Amino acid sequence: MPTLKINGISVEVERGASVLDAARFLGIHIPTLCHDDGLTPYGACRLCVVEVSNSNGNGRTKMLSACTLPAEDGLVVQTHSAKVEKARRLLLEMYVATCPQSKTIQDLASKYGMRQERLAPKFDNCIQCGLCVRMCEEQMMAGAIGFAGRGAKRRVSRPFDITSPLCRQCGACLYVCPVCELRCHGSSAESTLCNGCLNFSTVCFQSYDDAMCFLDPCHACEVGGPFRSDVPVKLSTVKSAQQEK
Amino acid sequence: MTDFEPVQLEALLADFEETRESLIPLLQEVQTQYCYLPEFALRRIASKLSVSLTDVYQVATFYSCFSLVPVGKHVVQVCLGTACHVRGAPRVLDRMLRDLKLGTPGTTQDMQFTVRSVRCVGCCGLAPVVRVDNNTHPNMTQAKVRGMLKKYRSKEDRPAGEADEVDDAEARVHS
């Protein structure tokens, strides 16, 4: 049974579990777009990126995807450090530009307090997360759709673009798709970045050195807390808050 | 180009083990013998090797050495790698497309040539490089394109009168 440390908390998990499983066991929310509990880990969306070092390491950390990283003895993991949050925010910015019409992606962007979108929107209908392909093959045992081509031309397709007789039209591919569900436009005009669900009202004083309080959702940390990218972190205030406790 | 006959496919299939691992060697063999991967061959291979058609299609579309549409008698690969690009490969390609009356890289109507641009063929010292079938033509120039294509175009397929025109064009370039 490997024992690892996530955000300073020791946790013992079953052999074969991933770091993402371990973090979820602790109730730490790591955002994902390509992960589903019933499907094999894929590591495509990279949103579950975490900062990992060994307990005997020299302080150097690696950025790895939690869903494909097996939980091993002595791993030291930071799931919401400033570096990780910055990487996720950049990823989300790119996802929003690829599929601005997706509710799942817009919700995540709101959650991460994204206020700007620097890239031109593409309005693609696929982020190549591979959920539908894996769902069709692993859960529906059909394998009616798959990837074709490679690089920039890679796409989800049916063989020869003819609906396969293996397809039972069960709709599982649509069910898991993070892009199919369209976002609401709300009262404001159509924009690349939605942000309709940003909540500015709550105030939270619980912040630790390199982690958030993990209340889900804790908009205060994300919007007004020390982990905002555009607000410099005031370590002195964080530390004094800890000392008071 | 040879027409694909199912009998030949069956003979081919008999040479390979019926495992997932023989998928790529088998596809390569079909590709080299028949210049492309016909749909029914992919379907037959999928059922014979117990691999889903989706996986076979995925592999067949992933590798650039496989083609799902019939290719010409000669495959012309124009290298557009960095070294070739710098030494004028785009001009060679443009000239070739114009000579073959192609808008974009593809197959000519008479099924004689398939023009492809490739990234690097690994002999940058010979830039710009054009590979026709298995022959490498180093230091290509726009002027050499016509003569090279002429060499490969078989005589019986050439429209009457074109030979003189080609010679004239070459003479003009060299003078």
Side-chain angles (χ1 to χ4, degrees), chain B residues 125-147:
Chain B
L126 307 175
V129 171
V130 171
R131 269 176 74 90
V132 185
D133 300 334
N134 283 323
N135 306 318
T136 307
H137 295 260
N139 303 317
M140 280 302 291
T141 56
Q142 288 194 58
K144 284 185 186 172
V145 167
R146 273 225 152 165

Side-chain angles (χ1 to χ4, degrees), chain A residues 133 137 142-151 154-155 157-162 164-166, chain B residues 20 37-43 52-65 68:
Chain A
V133 173
E137 192 179 325
I145 49 172
F147 282 108
R150 69 164 159 184
R154 191 166 179 254
R155 67 189 201 281
S157 87
R158 306 159 292 174
F160 307 105
D161 289 325
I162 306 162
S164 164
L166 297 168
Chain B
R20 207 182 165 82
L37 302 174
E39 183 179 333
F40 80 88
L42 293 190
R43 288 186 189 278
S52 74
L53 183 64
T54 316
D55 286 353
V56 176
Y57 188 74
Q58 187 168 345
V59 171
T61 52
F62 184 85
Y63 294 104
S64 56
C65 61
L68 293 181

